[in-house]
Amino acid sequence: MAESRYIHGFHAISAKLRHDPEAVLEIYLDAKRADARAKDLIARAELAGVRLHPVDAQRLDGMAGTHRHQGVVAKVNAQQRALKVDDVLEGLTEPALLLVLDGVTDPHNLGAALRVADGAGAHAVIAPKDRSVGLNATAMKVASGAADTVPYITVTNLARTLRELQEAGIWCVGAAGEAEKDLYAIDQRGPVAWVLGAEGDGLRRLTRETCDELARIPMYGSVESLNVSVASGICLFEVRRQRAAGA
């Protein structure tokens, strides 16, 4: 029998039903929830053919442990489905917003970057299979549920994937400290993929050369670079700021 685990909260479970419904084994919902959010989840579960159990809040507390469950817990297959970029791009109702991580080997950095990507509403995080940490238990713990809400896609050839994104009309911007432009000088209202390397090493040469353009984060203190998750947040939220402002 496949190994399973629990995920918690409406956002995480709805995202799992949307991106990987086959992995959702059962859903447990607070029997007292009859609001619109609960009804929407029930409809999604029915559509996906997932069995839903009305239970009391005490049972949910026991299943969720220290996590905030919002009145809903799901048992899911512990194995992550291998997603493709096309799986994510299909059906988007807004310009794509992607985070590409090149050479991030620290699981704490990956987990934190996934949290940032979730907060900014990124549609996926993309990383190469080689020279990257992968979605291990530490990364998933640090992500605090974001590993279930943001699709994490690993690719064999990152440069080729960037070219495929470009062919799909997505502007690939690489973060580089030596770039002439800063990120505030770039129009990011259209589909965009921010490409970031590991702290210290930065982007690999081929990755850098494949990007449509490079941009830097202005630094006003004595340090030369930021942690990749912090840098990811600055870049992704600038996209959201521009789109909201129509700048």
Side-chain angles (χ1 to χ4, degrees):
M1 187 174 179
E3 186 180 350
S4 63
R5 61 190 176 88
Y6 291 117
I7 62 175
H8 325 88
F10 284 94
H11 185 54
I13 294 170
S14 294
K16 199 71 172 175
L17 284 170
R18 186 166 60 252
H19 295 299
D20 192 10
E22 296 86 0
V24 184
L25 306 176
E26 294 179 303
I27 298 174
Y28 303 86
L29 179 67
D30 187 337
K32 295 181 179 179
R33 294 281 308 238
D35 53 278
R37 205 171 189 188
K39 290 177 180 177
D40 179 68
L41 185 70
I42 291 169
R44 288 179 182 272
E46 289 178 351
L47 189 63
V50 177
R51 188 176 179 185
L52 189 143
H53 307 273
V55 298
D56 58 48
Q58 188 174 2
R59 183 176 179 187
L60 294 173
D61 292 340
M63 297 167 75
T66 58
H67 296 276
R68 288 183 58 203
H69 55 69
Q70 300 177 315
V72 63
V73 174
K75 180 188 285 188
V76 302
N77 190 323
Q79 282 193 314
Q80 298 287 321
R81 182 168 74 92
L83 286 170
K84 296 181 180 179
V85 175
D86 288 345
D87 295 333
V88 173
L89 297 183
E90 287 179 3
L92 286 184
T93 57
E94 64 173 348
L97 175 57
L98 306 173
L99 174 62
V100 182
L101 300 176
D102 183 24
V104 174
T105 57
D106 186 328
H108 294 87
N109 284 341
L110 174 59
L114 283 165
R115 288 189 70 178
V116 165
D118 176 88
H123 301 115
V125 174
I126 300 170
K129 290 181 180 177
D130 298 328
R131 299 191 185 187
S132 62
V133 62
L135 198 56
N136 62 22
T138 300
M140 293 180 70
K141 182 177 180 180
V142 174
S144 297
D148 294 304
T149 59
V150 181
Y152 181 69
I153 301 170
T154 56
V155 297
T156 303
N157 187 312
L158 187 59
R160 182 172 63 210
T161 298
L162 291 176
R163 288 191 290 269
E164 290 172 353
L165 293 177
Q166 292 163 336
E167 291 171 3
I170 298 172
W171 194 249
C172 296
V173 184
E178 74 279 7
E180 293 184 7
K181 286 184 179 180
D182 66 39
L183 78 163
Y184 305 114
I186 299 173
D187 185 347
Q188 301 174 57
R189 292 171 294 176
V192 63
W194 266 102
V195 188
L196 284 82
E199 183 180 359
D201 294 337
L203 298 174
R204 288 179 291 171
R205 180 187 59 80
L206 185 56
T207 304
R208 181 189 305 260
E209 292 175 355
T210 307
C211 291
D212 290 298
E213 64 179 324
L214 301 177
R216 58 182 170 82
I217 297 172
M219 302 293 289
Y220 300 101
S222 58
V223 299
E224 295 182 357
S225 63
L226 297 170
N227 176 279
V228 65
S229 64
V230 175
S232 298
I234 292 171
C235 297
L236 295 176
F237 277 97
E238 171 58 15
V239 177
R240 288 300 181 187
R241 185 198 67 80
Q242 289 192 18
R243 291 180 181 180

